[in-house]
Amino acid sequence: MRVLGIETSCDETGVAVVEFDQAGRARVIGEALASQIPLHQLYGGVVPELAAREHMRSLPILLEQLFSELSDQHGVTPKSVDAIGVTCGPGLKGCLLIGVTFAQGMAGASGVPPIPVNHIEGHILSAELHFPDLQPPYVALVVSGGHTEVVVVEGLGRYSVVCRTRDDAAGEAFDKSAHLLNFPYPGGARLAECAASVHGSSRFTLPKVAREMRDFSFSGLKTAVALLIERNRADIDADPHVRAEVCWVIQDAILNALECKVVPEVRARRVPLVVCGGVSANRALRERLQARCPEVYFPPLKHCVDNGAMIAYSAGRYLMAKKSAPALDIYSRWPLETLSVPLS
Ligand code: KG4
Ligand code: ZN
């Protein structure tokens, strides 16, 4: 069985075809991705209308590129896929609409089912795509530019959210801090790169995270970071080492906030940990969680960020399990825990 996946929920257009064998083992046979980062960099953040327009422009180009490679190598054409998975939420309404409309049109033309996919579930399942021996139950830490949540995964479509962010996502905390340091959008990875030259401590401090609070909150940190940068602006601009120490202390504060919620959950349940979403590309986060949890899985870097393969794989899993998904529609807010109940 072959499933096409389409991802357009935010600022990456992703398409992929995933092939499942009789035993349910999956492999990505082709994929293409177009990042809109250069477009949004001009504005310091994602501009929803521009993002939607850019998806509309690049989606047909990517699909053509994908299928021209696939038909040469595997004889796979748009008409020979068995289903089309598409991200229906959560995400930006106008962006989701482009992917869903395309999927609907293609599915109608080929007579195959369009399968709605939850973007966050896609991120989580990308670990099962790459580590076939990984079985629920496990804990997933979803850390992206739009989402930060700790989830207990009981099985396909069965999730309980232990905690999530009340305000900014971890990726947003990275990006907003990076913006104050004049790194181009989205500065998370650059801030992390700059912090990497510092080993273990910084002359600066930031307030400790509130461990007793159930959910994550990064808005207090955002204010503290803004003050720290304002007070030390001249030194940060003049001395690269001061700049690196500021980056280090910001990254340390964000990682502490993540660790203090996820590590106790993993230890109490004695289950593996999956870390997914864009921030899971962060090397320091990987090292710290690997040191503190016995069994940790990270999807490969190219599937940490948004991509079509995770959407194709999720759709294929639903198809194989004969599990029904909600109607094909746009769900710009679509909390994971509602996956087992019908949406209206
Ligand atoms: O999952 P993703 O590609 O898109 C969303 O669904 O949001 O995540 C993008 C986020 C951005 O905030 C980006 O700055 C952050 O992931 N990110 C990183 C790193 N690489 C990407 N944050 C910290 N360290 C990194 N190495
Ligand atoms: Zn994402």
Side-chain angles (χ1 to χ4, degrees):
M1 175 178 81
R2 292 180 184 127
V3 182
L4 167 66
I6 297 179
E7 158 63 38
T8 63
S9 67
C10 188
D11 58 352
E12 329 264 0
T13 320
V15 296
V17 173
V18 170
E19 187 173 72
F20 293 79
D21 69 14
Q22 299 280 342
R25 276 183 301 259
R27 72 185 179 113
V28 183
I29 58 169
E31 61 186 317
L33 187 80
S35 169
Q36 302 182 357
I37 285 173
L39 173 71
H40 300 295
Q41 239 164 22
L42 288 171
Y43 306 93
V46 178
V47 183
E49 290 78 7
L50 292 183
R53 252 188 265 170
E54 191 61 14
H55 286 305
M56 190 140 82
R57 197 186 67 81
S58 41
L59 188 52
I61 300 173
L62 287 186
L63 285 166
E64 203 173 308
Q65 184 187 323
L66 174 73
F67 281 108
S68 101
E69 279 166 26
L70 279 177
S71 64
D72 289 350
Q73 291 166 12
H74 301 274
V76 177
T77 66
K79 287 209 183 290
S80 65
V81 297
D82 300 286
I84 301 176
V86 60
T87 307
C88 287
L92 300 168
K93 237 182 202 163
C95 296
L96 293 165
L97 188 65
I98 306 297
V100 170
T101 314
F102 247 88
Q104 209 162 20
M106 285 182 76
S110 320
V112 298
I115 300 182
V117 175
N118 179 295
H119 180 83
I120 306 297
E121 185 174 36
H123 273 304
I124 294 174
L125 293 181
S126 63
E128 294 190 30
L129 163 64
H130 291 285
F131 304 100
D133 294 335
L134 170 67
Q135 297 273 339
Y138 56 84
V139 169
L141 171 64
V142 185
V143 269
S144 72
H147 301 273
T148 299
E149 40 203 68
V150 176
V151 182
V152 177
V153 179
E154 317 270 9
L156 186 68
R158 291 193 288 128
Y159 306 100
S160 33
V161 176
V162 175
C163 62
R164 52 164 54 100
T165 184
R166 288 188 180 181
D167 37 60
D168 289 348
E172 243 175 318
F174 267 104
D175 295 344
K176 286 180 177 169
S177 306
H179 180 72
L180 293 173
L181 289 165
N182 301 324
F183 288 111
Y185 174 84
R190 290 185 202 227
L191 186 149
E193 211 175 287
C194 183
S197 63
V198 178
H199 299 288
S201 70
S202 164
R203 74 193 76 178
F204 303 106
T205 52
L206 282 168
K208 292 256 176 308
V209 289
R211 283 170 187 269
E212 64 285 357
M213 207 168 85
R214 199 177 68 99
D215 283 326
F216 295 107
S217 169
F218 292 101
S219 65
L221 179 66
K222 186 169 63 182
T223 312
V225 166
L227 278 173
L228 175 76
I229 294 174
E230 196 182 299
R231 285 201 195 114
N232 296 282
R233 175 65 73 190
D235 290 344
I236 292 170
D237 291 342
D239 184 345
H241 197 71
V242 172
R243 191 180 182 75
E245 285 193 25
V246 169
C247 290
W248 185 90
V249 79
I250 296 169
Q251 173 173 269
D252 187 56
I254 299 171
L255 301 193
N256 282 341
L258 297 174
E259 259 181 281
C260 85
K261 300 269 187 280
V262 78
V263 172
E265 199 61 41
V266 170
R267 289 188 176 163
R269 292 179 183 272
R270 297 171 184 268
V271 292
L273 170 66
V274 160
V275 190
C276 56
V279 182
S280 65
N282 185 283
R283 225 179 43 214
L285 175 68
R286 289 179 172 231
E287 285 168 7
R288 285 168 63 157
L289 291 174
Q290 261 155 350
R292 298 192 60 196
C293 302
E295 199 180 344
V296 193
Y297 297 89
F298 298 92
L301 289 180
K302 72 171 174 177
H303 289 159
C304 285
V305 293
D306 293 349
N307 64 86
M310 68 185 195
I311 304 305
Y313 178 69
S314 302
R317 290 287 305 275
Y318 269 78
L319 210 61
M320 282 191 318
K322 299 191 169 52
K323 212 170 151 64
S324 63
L328 190 77
D329 207 336
I330 310 295
Y331 305 107
S332 53
R333 286 176 50 78
W334 188 2
L336 266 184
E337 56 271 43
T338 64
L339 272 170
S340 46
V341 294
L343 286 172
S344 53

